[in-house]
Amino acid sequence: MSSAHLTRRTLLAGATAVALGAATGTARAAEDPSLWREFTRSPFTHPQIPYVGRAGYRGGATRFPRPRTVTDVTDHGAVPDGSTDCAPAINRAIAAAGRAGGGTVTIPPGTFRIDGLIRIGDSNVVLRGAGSGRTTLYATKSLTELIGVYGSRYGGDKSAWSWAGGLIWLAPRARWDSLTAAIEAGAWPFEGWTGNRRDEWTPLTVAGPARRGDRTVTVADAHGLRPGQLVLLRVADDAGHTLLQHLAGGGPGPAAYYWDDKTKLLSYVPYEWPVRVTRVHGRRITLERPLPLDLRPEWNPQLTTHVTELTGSGVEGLTLQVQETPMSPHLLDKGYNGVVLQCAYDCWLDDVTVRNVDNGFGLVAASACTLRRTRVGGRGSHHPYFCREGSHDNLIEDFTIEQRTVPAPANTQLHGINVEGLSSHNVWSRGEMRMGTFDSHRGLPFANVRTDITVNNNGRHGGDANAGPLFGARFTHWNVRVTNGRAGLMRIDGLAPYSATVGLNTVTEFDQIDVPDFTGDLHSRLELYGTTDVVRPRNLYDAQRELSR
C-alpha cells in the first residue's frame, strides 16, 4: 500500500486496535508514547523509527504456502533408527522435489542420523517434519569435516564457520557450488548477491533521485523491467563517504567520523538491496517495499541483476540435534552450525529447533524471509542468531534462546541476536532470551527493530574496529524487559544515532560498556523508561503491519 493510501483514519484505526490489547505484568495504565503518535503521521520517513511493517516472507504474510507433497524421505532410503546415515537419502528426496519444479518433502516422526549436511538449492521446495518435538535430525559432523577449513577473507587465523554456513543450508544451487569451490580452494569468498568477488552482476538501468520512503522511482530505461521481477538496488559511496554518513543519520557527528581506515566496513559498499518490482508505467516503477535510503546521483544508484535467488523454499517442523561437543575457543568454530538461509528471498523457517550448535540460525545476504517459532538450546552457542552480509527486511518472531545446559568453557564467547554489515530493516519480535544480548558486530547496521522481548542480558557484542560503527540510524528497541538489569545494548539513546528506546525497565551499566561512535547530539529518543509492559502498542512490528493493510 502506498503512502497515499495510508489515510489518517486508517493509521489511527490501526493504532487504536493494537492499543486495545490487554496490559500485562504491571498495575500501571497502558501509555501511548508521543513517538508512536508521531510515527503514525509519517510512517515512512520518521527520523528515529524505521518502517518495517512489510518485513518478512511476502511482506509479513501470516501463513506459509503448503505445496503438494512430492515425496517422503523414507521413499529414498531414510530410516529413523538413529544409526543409519540418512543425509544422502534426504538430499535425494530434496533433489527430486527440485526436479519436479518444487513441492514438499516430508520426514516422518523419529530420529534420523545425518553424517552430511542437508541442502535445499532449488526454489519452491519445502522440507517438512512432523513437528520439532517429533522429527529429529541427529548430526554427527562439522562443516570443517564436510567441506574444509574456512578462513576469513580479512586475514588472521579466524574460522569463517564462526559466522557462516549451516548443517541445513538453504542457498541457490549455483551459488552454493561456487561458495564451496572457493572455500576448498582457499580463496575466501564474499558471500552475497553478486558472487565471490562481487562482480556477478550487470546493470539494468540507472535510478533517478528519490527519498527514503518512496515506493515509486523514475529510471532511465524500464524496458528490461517487469512486474514480479527481483532486482538489486546498488548504491555506491563517494570519496567523502556521504552515503555512510546518510546511513548514520547525517549531520556533524557522522561528518566528523573518520571513515577511511574502516577497511572492513568499506568492503561492504556498495549497499545492495534486493526488491521486487510490482508495477512498470513508462519510466516509473513501483517497488514492493519503500526505499530504505535516499537515492542521490553522486551515489550512482542503479538497478542490476544478481545471482539467481532461492525463493519460495522453507523448512518446517523438525529439530536439528548436533552431537554434543565442547564449544570451541572464540572465532575458531568448527562449524557445528544450525540452519542458514543465503541469497534467499521470500523463504521461511517454522517450528524449527537446533541444539548443541556452534551457531544457530543464520541470515547471510538473505532478505524478506521469516523465521517463526525457532529455538536454540543445548550446550550453548557462539551466535544463537546471526544476520549479516547485507541481509534486509527479515522477520524473526516467537523465538527462544534457552539457558545453556553446561557451563561455558574458557575462552568462548556468547553473543545473541546479531545484526551487522549494513543489514537493515530486520525485526526481532516476541522473543525470550534466557541468555545473550542484542548484538551488533559493527559494520553500520541501520534501521533495525527489536520489540516485545524478554532478555537476561549476559552476552557481549563483537566486531573489529575496522568494521566501523556499532549502529547506524533508526535502531529501535520497543517494549524490552531486561531481567538482570544490565543496560548494555538495551538502552541505546546514548549510543545509537537517531534511535528510539521506548518501554524499557530501569537498567544500569556494567560489564561491557561502550562509548558513542559519533560526537555531539545523537538525536536519539528515550520514552517510557523505567516501565515494564506499559507501552502501547505493545509490539511495534505488529502495529506497523496493521498500518500496512
Side-chain angles (χ1 to χ4, degrees):
M1 182 181 294
S2 69
S3 56
H5 294 150
L6 275 175
T7 65
R8 181 170 173 79
R9 167 180 269 179
T10 301
L11 291 168
L12 293 178
T16 301
V18 176
L20 288 176
T24 60
T26 179
R28 182 169 171 174
E31 296 187 36
D32 181 7
S34 60
L35 270 165
W36 174 249
R37 294 191 296 272
E38 293 173 13
F39 179 83
T40 61
R41 292 191 289 269
S42 58
F44 303 113
T45 57
H46 193 276
Q48 281 88 16
I49 299 176
Y51 176 74
V52 293
R54 292 186 60 80
Y57 168 83
R58 291 292 181 186
T62 57
R63 294 185 179 181
F64 303 123
R66 297 186 67 84
R68 66 186 180 90
T69 297
V70 174
T71 188
D72 188 275
V73 298
T74 57
D75 297 334
H76 296 263
V79 181
D81 60 6
S83 58
T84 301
D85 176 17
C86 298
I90 295 172
N91 284 323
R92 285 195 295 269
I94 292 171
R99 289 192 299 272
T104 297
V105 175
T106 55
I107 312 178
T111 297
F112 296 81
R113 175 173 171 154
I114 55 171
D115 295 339
L117 61 89
I118 304 302
R119 292 175 49 199
I120 297 180
D122 295 300
S123 292
N124 303 309
V125 173
V126 178
L127 182 65
R128 180 181 297 137
S132 60
R134 303 183 66 201
T135 296
T136 297
L137 304 184
Y138 180 70
T140 64
K141 294 185 178 180
S142 69
L143 293 170
T144 298
E145 296 172 274
L146 297 171
I147 297 175
V149 172
Y150 188 3
S152 170
R153 65 176 179 252
Y154 300 106
D157 60 354
K158 300 173 184 177
S159 167
W161 297 129
S162 301
W163 57 78
L167 291 170
I168 300 178
W169 200 330
L170 291 80
R173 184 182 302 278
R175 189 71 188 99
W176 191 89
D177 288 345
S178 69
L179 281 166
T180 53
I183 294 166
E184 290 167 357
W188 317 132
F190 284 91
E191 299 155 279
W193 288 101
T194 50
N196 294 342
R197 299 180 182 86
R198 300 194 77 180
D199 59 0
E200 295 179 34
W201 60 277
T202 56
L204 294 171
T205 184
V206 173
R211 299 297 300 273
R212 175 172 63 90
D214 290 347
R215 281 189 59 198
T216 300
V217 178
T218 300
V219 298
D221 182 359
H223 287 97
L225 304 176
R226 66 184 188 279
Q229 180 181 4
L230 186 70
V231 297
L232 200 65
L233 173 66
R234 300 187 88 234
V235 185
D237 203 5
D238 58 14
H241 301 301
T242 60
L243 173 63
L244 295 177
Q245 293 176 40
H246 174 61
L247 300 184
Y257 184 82
Y258 191 71
W259 301 95
D260 284 334
D261 64 348
K262 308 303 185 295
T263 53
K264 184 179 287 189
L265 172 62
L266 297 178
S267 77
Y268 301 148
V269 184
Y271 174 82
E272 298 176 341
W273 183 62
V275 65
R276 289 195 194 279
V277 175
T278 60
R279 187 171 185 263
V280 179
H281 183 69
R283 293 194 301 115
R284 291 174 64 80
I285 64 167
T286 302
L287 306 174
E288 66 175 330
R289 288 180 174 81
L291 286 176
L293 74 172
D294 292 351
L295 303 184
R296 301 177 189 172
E298 57 265 34
W299 300 335
N300 189 28
Q302 55 184 316
L303 301 180
T304 76
T305 64
H306 50 81
V307 299
T308 301
E309 71 274 12
L310 183 75
T311 188
S313 294
V315 176
E316 303 176 352
L318 59 82
T319 290
L320 176 66
Q321 175 99 14
V322 178
Q323 67 171 345
E324 187 168 343
T325 59
M327 285 184 67
S328 296
H330 190 219
L331 298 177
L332 297 177
D333 295 351
K334 296 180 176 64
Y336 291 105
N337 294 349
V339 188
V340 165
L341 295 93
Q342 185 161 3
C343 296
Y345 196 94
D346 279 334
C347 293
W348 71 92
L349 308 177
D350 185 25
D351 183 26
V352 177
T353 295
V354 296
R355 297 193 179 281
N356 301 328
V357 291
D358 291 339
N359 302 281
F361 294 94
L363 295 158
V364 181
S367 292
C369 296
T370 294
L371 279 61
R372 182 176 298 158
R373 298 190 297 167
T374 55
R375 178 180 291 263
V376 181
R379 50 89 154 152
S381 53
H382 179 195
H383 296 92
Y385 291 81
F386 57 96
C387 178
R388 51 177 295 271
E389 203 77 8
S391 290
H392 314 292
D393 304 301
N394 297 293
L395 171 64
I396 301 94
E397 63 180 355
D398 300 306
F399 66 94
T400 302
I401 302 174
E402 297 179 358
Q403 184 58 259
R404 64 173 72 245
T405 55
V406 296
N411 302 316
T412 60
Q413 187 63 272
L414 165 67
H415 298 307
I417 52 175
N418 157 265
V419 61
E420 60 182 277
L422 297 183
S423 296
S424 67
H425 296 83
N426 301 288
V427 179
W428 290 261
S429 169
R430 292 193 302 273
E432 183 181 3
M433 298 173 59
R434 300 169 195 167
M435 63 178 190
T437 194
F438 289 0
D439 174 36
S440 165
H441 268 45
R442 301 190 178 274
L444 200 68
F446 69 98
N448 297 284
V449 169
R450 284 92 168 228
T451 182
D452 194 9
I453 298 172
T454 300
V455 52
N456 175 30
N457 185 24
N458 63 355
R460 296 170 67 86
H461 76 75
D464 294 337
N466 64 359
L470 278 169
F471 300 104
R474 292 179 303 285
F475 256 79
T476 300
H477 292 173
W478 187 285
N479 192 22
V480 177
R481 303 166 291 273
V482 183
T483 59
N484 64 343
R486 178 182 165 220
L489 301 176
M490 304 290 127
R491 179 176 172 175
I492 56 174
D493 57 297
L495 191 60
Y498 287 93
S499 67
T501 305
V502 182
L504 174 72
N505 58 284
T506 302
V507 291
T508 57
E509 291 280 6
F510 60 89
D511 195 18
Q512 189 178 42
I513 299 174
D514 291 292
V515 297
D517 291 293
F518 305 108
T519 57
D521 187 355
L522 294 180
H523 300 282
S524 295
R525 302 277 293 274
L526 178 68
E527 199 165 354
L528 293 181
Y529 176 61
T531 67
T532 301
D533 270 333
V534 165
V535 59
R536 291 297 180 270
R538 188 176 195 268
N539 185 294
L540 181 62
Y541 170 73
D542 288 344
Q544 288 197 23
R545 183 161 54 184
E546 288 296 318
L547 301 186
S548 305
R549 293 181 178 177

